[in-house]
Amino acid sequence: MLIAEAQWIGKNIFSAEPEKFFPMLNIGSSTEEFRTIDQPWIDEHLTAPARKKNFKIINIDVKKETGVDVVIDFHALPTNGKLTNLNFNSILCSNVLEHLTNREQLCHSVVAATPTGGYIFVSCPYKYPYHPDPIDTKFRPDVEKLVRLFPGTKLIKGEIVTCRNYFYYLCLKPKKLIRVFARIFVPFYNPRGWLIVMNYMTYLFRNFKTTCVILEKI
C-alpha cells in the first residue's frame, strides 16, 4: 500500500461515521511487522486510528505470522466458510487482486459474505511496475473495471489516486536506496530479480497511481 493510498482509505473511513464500518476485515493484511515497520503509514492512517477508538480490525492473510488473526488461502475462498462465520460490517481488500488468478471468484465471495448495507473498500495498482508476490497478473483496473468485479454492489466513491514516485520511497530507507542502485550493475546475479528492479526503475521519477473504490452491498 502506498502512502497516498493509505491516506485516501483512512480519510474515507474516519472522516464521517467510522463506527458503521467496524468490525472490519482486512483481507491480505500481511503481518504486524509489515504494517508497522515496512509500511508504517498503514498503521498511521488505518490501524492506529482504529485502535484509538477501540474499533476492531480482523487481519486476514495466507501467512500464519504475528499480526494475522485468521489464516485463509484466498484461492480456496469460494469454498471456504471462514469469512461468512466472522462478524463484520465492512471489508478492506487492498493490493490483493493483482496477485490472484481467481480474482473474480474472490470478489464474488467477498460480496456474498458482506452483510446487506455493508461496505467494501478496494484498491489496486493502476500505474505500477510488475511486482510478483508470488505472482503479478498485471491487473491494473480503472474505477469502472474494478467496480464490475463486485456485482450486487453500488459505487459510493471511486478515484485514481496519484502517489509519489519510486525515488521518494527509496529515500525513506537510505540503505535500500544504496542496495537498489548497486543492484543495477549486477544483472547476471539472479536475472529475474534484476528485471524486477529494472521495472521499478521505470517509475524512478514517474508517479505511481492506484485505483481506490468504496462499494456498498445492495
Side-chain angles (χ1 to χ4, degrees), residues 62-74:
V62 297
K63 305 168 186 175
K64 191 176 182 180
E65 297 185 29
T66 302
V68 177
D69 302 308
V70 180
V71 177
I72 290 181
D73 178 359
F74 299 133

Side-chain angles (χ1 to χ4, degrees), residues 27-185:
I27 293 181
S29 66
S30 195
T31 64
E32 182 179 351
E33 180 179 359
F34 180 82
R35 299 189 302 269
T36 59
I37 297 176
D38 295 343
Q39 296 188 3
W41 45 88
I42 297 177
D43 188 60
E44 178 184 355
H45 297 288
L46 297 174
T47 54
R51 284 196 307 272
K52 186 176 181 180
K53 295 179 178 293
N54 291 319
F55 291 149
K56 186 176 182 180
I57 295 179
I58 304 168
N59 294 303
I60 298 176
D61 204 272
V62 297
K63 305 168 186 175
K64 191 176 182 180
E65 297 185 29
T66 302
V68 177
D69 302 308
V70 180
V71 177
I72 290 181
D73 178 359
F74 299 133
H75 286 95
L77 196 55
T79 58
N80 192 314
K82 286 187 177 180
L83 281 190
T84 306
N85 295 333
L86 297 171
N87 180 29
F88 63 94
N89 290 335
S90 69
I91 289 180
L92 170 62
C93 180
S94 175
N95 297 286
V96 173
L97 300 181
E98 73 271 23
H99 299 299
L100 298 176
T101 57
N102 68 331
R103 58 177 170 267
E104 292 86 0
Q105 292 175 319
L106 173 69
C107 295
H108 281 251
S109 295
V110 164
V111 173
T114 302
T116 300
Y119 296 87
I120 305 171
F121 296 81
V122 190
S123 67
C124 268
Y126 181 66
K127 297 293 183 182
Y128 198 83
Y130 178 77
H131 58 294
D133 185 25
I135 64 169
D136 180 359
T137 62
K138 297 184 180 180
F139 181 60
R140 304 292 189 267
D142 58 15
V143 170
E144 182 180 356
K145 188 173 183 179
L146 192 54
V147 172
R148 285 203 302 266
L149 281 174
F150 295 86
T153 67
K154 65 178 180 180
L155 177 65
I156 301 300
K157 187 174 183 179
E159 185 177 345
I160 293 177
V161 178
T162 298
C163 306
R164 305 295 289 268
N165 56 43
Y166 187 44
F167 185 70
Y168 173 82
Y169 282 92
L170 287 176
C171 288
L172 295 177
K173 299 182 178 181
K175 290 183 179 179
K176 183 176 181 179
L177 174 66
I178 294 171
R179 289 198 307 269
V180 166
F181 277 95
R183 185 69 176 88
I184 295 172
F185 300 100

